[in-house]
């Protein structure tokens, strides 16, 4: 069935999800950008900072599973709203803490609540888009993460320079409370949307086998029977920790290695995170294009993910690059590839499972990916502290970039092996 030329309601709903994802990443990026300021004020070493990152990733892991199950139970509208209200208040709360313990508590609350974004977003896409458009829709909303990461290096230095780090957390955290008004007023599922045309409704449901929103609780044991549950989890375990490094340590990397002034807008970071927008939308477009050309859904997703995995490989050779602009390009390709990879990985869940399973499986895999991310920040902190004391901080970063370069290809290979047999 062809897409209706005058049917745009599904894209409007997607725009709300895009905005929420933008706010999600804008809120979490503030901490990384303020790291050079905060470590001086609170006398942190790299290990202290890694504990704060671990607090976020540990609760993010717990929140992924808990919020995924919660969203499948109460529905996308209520679940997403609860998640965003809590994480906005948690983000604002960072501006009022006065100790390292206070930051750990604030980051923990942020982690458990922000974990609801992707289970809710993927469930929304499954509700509003046919399978042939889901990777593109996922790539578009997922690009909100990169838009948030682009806005952060622009907004944070401005607010920091004029008002201070506390106000930076408060002002940016308050953006989510505005989004809640739009979400609650406009979001519904297709079956309850009066302004949705019959043609667009039929197009949305054209390959969904008549699925409607269900709020029944699916046992975790049932979810673990499916190969897609485990292949998604493996993909998250091996690549999420790398994304956390790109997210939380890149500002410090450019500050440590290239002496970048973090009180001013950072052009390398803007370039890097701008590239991720292209990767996210491009990754979703490529697999959707192949499917429309007649490729099997699984084959289209797999090939696209392999291409993006290979794009990350050059970052492992960062030790041979000492030019800031050249390494910026290399990292930009790697981070763009991550977003293209992630857009397709998340879409595989909705490809193979009923809508009322989607948030729970996304939550389960996201939990394991975040659990892997709990240990990796500690490893980063130990490595960077050791190399900093030896007067070669760049050597520590090179080790981490090497690990990043091989992680995605390894993840793709394992996923391919899991899905070789024609079973669930």
């Amino acid at each position: 069935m062809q897409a209706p030329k005058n049917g745009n309601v599904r894209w409007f709903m997607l725009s709300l999800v895009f905005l929420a994802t933008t706010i999600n990443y804008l809120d979490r990026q503030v901490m990384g950008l303020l790291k050079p300021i905060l470590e001086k004020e609170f006398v942190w070493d790299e290990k202290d900072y890694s504990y704060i990152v671990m607090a976020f990733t540990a609760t993010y892991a717990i929140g992924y599973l808990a919020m995924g199950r919660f969203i499948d139970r109460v529905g996308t509208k209520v679940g997403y709203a609860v998640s965003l209200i809590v994480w906005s208040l948690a983000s604002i709360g960072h501006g009022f803490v006065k100790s390292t313990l206070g930051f750990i508590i604030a980051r923990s609350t942020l982690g458990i609540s922000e974990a609801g974004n992707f289970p809710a977003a993927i469930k929304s896409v499954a509700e509003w888009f046919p399978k042939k458009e889901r990777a593109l829709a996922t790539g578009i909303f997922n690009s909100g993460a990169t838009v948030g990461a682009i806005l952060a290096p622009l907004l944070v230095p401005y607010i920091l320079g004029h008002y201070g780090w506390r106000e930076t957390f408060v002002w940016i955290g308050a953006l989510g409370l505005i989004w809640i008004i739009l979400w609650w007023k406009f979001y519904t599922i297709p079956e309850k949307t009066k302004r949705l045309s019959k043609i667009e409704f039929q197009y949305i449901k054209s390959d969904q086998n008549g699925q409607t929103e269900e709020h029944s609780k699916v046992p975790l044991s049932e979810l673990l029977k499916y190969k897609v549950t485990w292949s998604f989890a493996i993909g998250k375990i091996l690549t999420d920790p790398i994304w956390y490094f790109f997210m939380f340590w890149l500002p410090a990397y450019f500050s440590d290695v290239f002496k970048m002034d973090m009180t001013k807008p950072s052009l390398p970071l803007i370039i890097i995170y701008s590239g991720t927008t292209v990767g996210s939308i491009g990754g979703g477009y490529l697999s959707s294009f192949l499917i429309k050309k007649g490729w099997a859904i699984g084959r289209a997703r797999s090939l696209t993910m392999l291409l993006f995995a290979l794009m990350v490989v050059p970052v492992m050779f960062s030790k041979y690059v000492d030019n800031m602009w050249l390494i910026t390009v290399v990292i930009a390709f790697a981070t763009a590839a991550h977003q293209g990879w992630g857009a397709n990985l998340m879409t595989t869940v909705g490809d193979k499972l009923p809508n009322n399973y989607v948030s729970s499986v996304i939550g389960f895999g996201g939990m394991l990916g975040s659990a892997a991310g709990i240990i990796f920040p500690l490893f980063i902190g130990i490595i960077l502290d050791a190399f900093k004391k030896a007067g070669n901080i760049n050597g520590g970063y090179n080790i981490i970039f090497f690990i990043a370069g091989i992680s995605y290809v390894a993840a793709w290979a394992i996923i391919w092996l899991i899905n070789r047999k024609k079973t669930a």
Side-chain angles (χ1 to χ4, degrees), residues 255-330:
S255 178
D256 291 338
V257 176
F258 298 106
K259 310 305 177 186
M260 183 178 295
D261 184 357
M262 298 312 298
T263 63
K264 299 178 181 178
S266 169
L267 185 56
L269 292 177
I270 293 171
I271 292 172
I272 288 169
Y273 295 130
S274 295
T276 57
T277 303
V278 178
S280 184
I281 298 175
Y285 173 80
L286 178 56
S287 64
S288 294
F289 173 79
L290 293 175
I291 293 168
K292 289 182 179 180
K293 288 294 183 181
W295 284 48
I297 293 174
R299 185 184 177 204
R301 304 278 193 244
S302 182
L303 176 62
T304 303
M305 290 171 66
L306 175 59
L307 291 176
F308 282 112
L310 293 174
M311 281 178 58
V312 184
V313 172
V315 80
M316 68 192 295
F317 302 109
S318 62
K319 69 177 182 178
Y320 302 110
V321 182
D322 57 8
N323 180 279
M324 183 180 75
W325 297 109
L326 182 55
I327 195 64
T328 295
V329 172
V330 172

Side-chain angles (χ1 to χ4, degrees), residues 124-131 134 190-191 201-212 354-355:
S124 176
V125 167
E127 291 169 347
W128 274 95
F129 288 85
K131 292 179 181 179
R134 286 181 187 175
E191 290 80 0
F201 179 82
Q202 290 174 341
Y203 177 71
I204 290 168
K205 297 296 181 179
S206 61
D207 58 4
Q208 294 190 23
N209 300 319
Q211 293 182 41
T212 58
N355 289 353

Side-chain angles (χ1 to χ4, degrees), residues 30-31 33-38 41-42 91-92 94-97 103 152 154-173 262-263:
V30 176
M31 188 77 181
L33 290 164
L34 293 179
K35 177 179 178 285
I37 306 298
L38 297 174
E41 180 160 342
F42 292 93
S91 182
I92 292 170
H94 284 66
F96 296 91
V97 302
F103 274 105
L154 293 172
L155 294 177
V156 169
Y158 177 82
I159 302 174
L160 174 65
H162 285 78
Y163 301 101
W165 66 265
R166 294 185 183 277
E167 287 80 359
T168 302
F169 281 114
V170 173
W171 283 34
I172 292 179
M262 298 312 298
T263 63

Side-chain angles (χ1 to χ4, degrees), residues 23 27 83-93 110 113-114 169-170 172-178 180:
I23 294 168
D27 284 345
S83 175
L84 207 139
I85 289 172
V86 176
W87 96 51
S88 296
L89 294 176
S91 182
I92 292 170
L110 185 71
S113 52
E114 277 204 333
F169 281 114
V170 173
I172 292 179
L175 292 175
L177 302 180
I178 299 173
I180 289 294

Side-chain angles (χ1 to χ4, degrees), residues 304-378:
T304 303
M305 290 171 66
L306 175 59
L307 291 176
F308 282 112
L310 293 174
M311 281 178 58
V312 184
V313 172
V315 80
M316 68 192 295
F317 302 109
S318 62
K319 69 177 182 178
Y320 302 110
V321 182
D322 57 8
N323 180 279
M324 183 180 75
W325 297 109
L326 182 55
I327 195 64
T328 295
V329 172
V330 172
I331 296 173
F333 270 95
T335 53
H338 171 86
Q339 292 298 83
W341 163 276
N344 283 276
L345 179 65
M346 287 188 289
T347 306
T348 60
V349 178
D351 288 340
K352 298 182 179 181
L353 296 178
N355 289 353
N356 61 313
Y357 286 34
V358 169
S359 288
S360 293
V361 172
I362 293 290
F364 175 74
M367 176 194 69
L368 294 182
S370 296
I374 295 169
I375 304 301
F376 199 58
L378 181 59

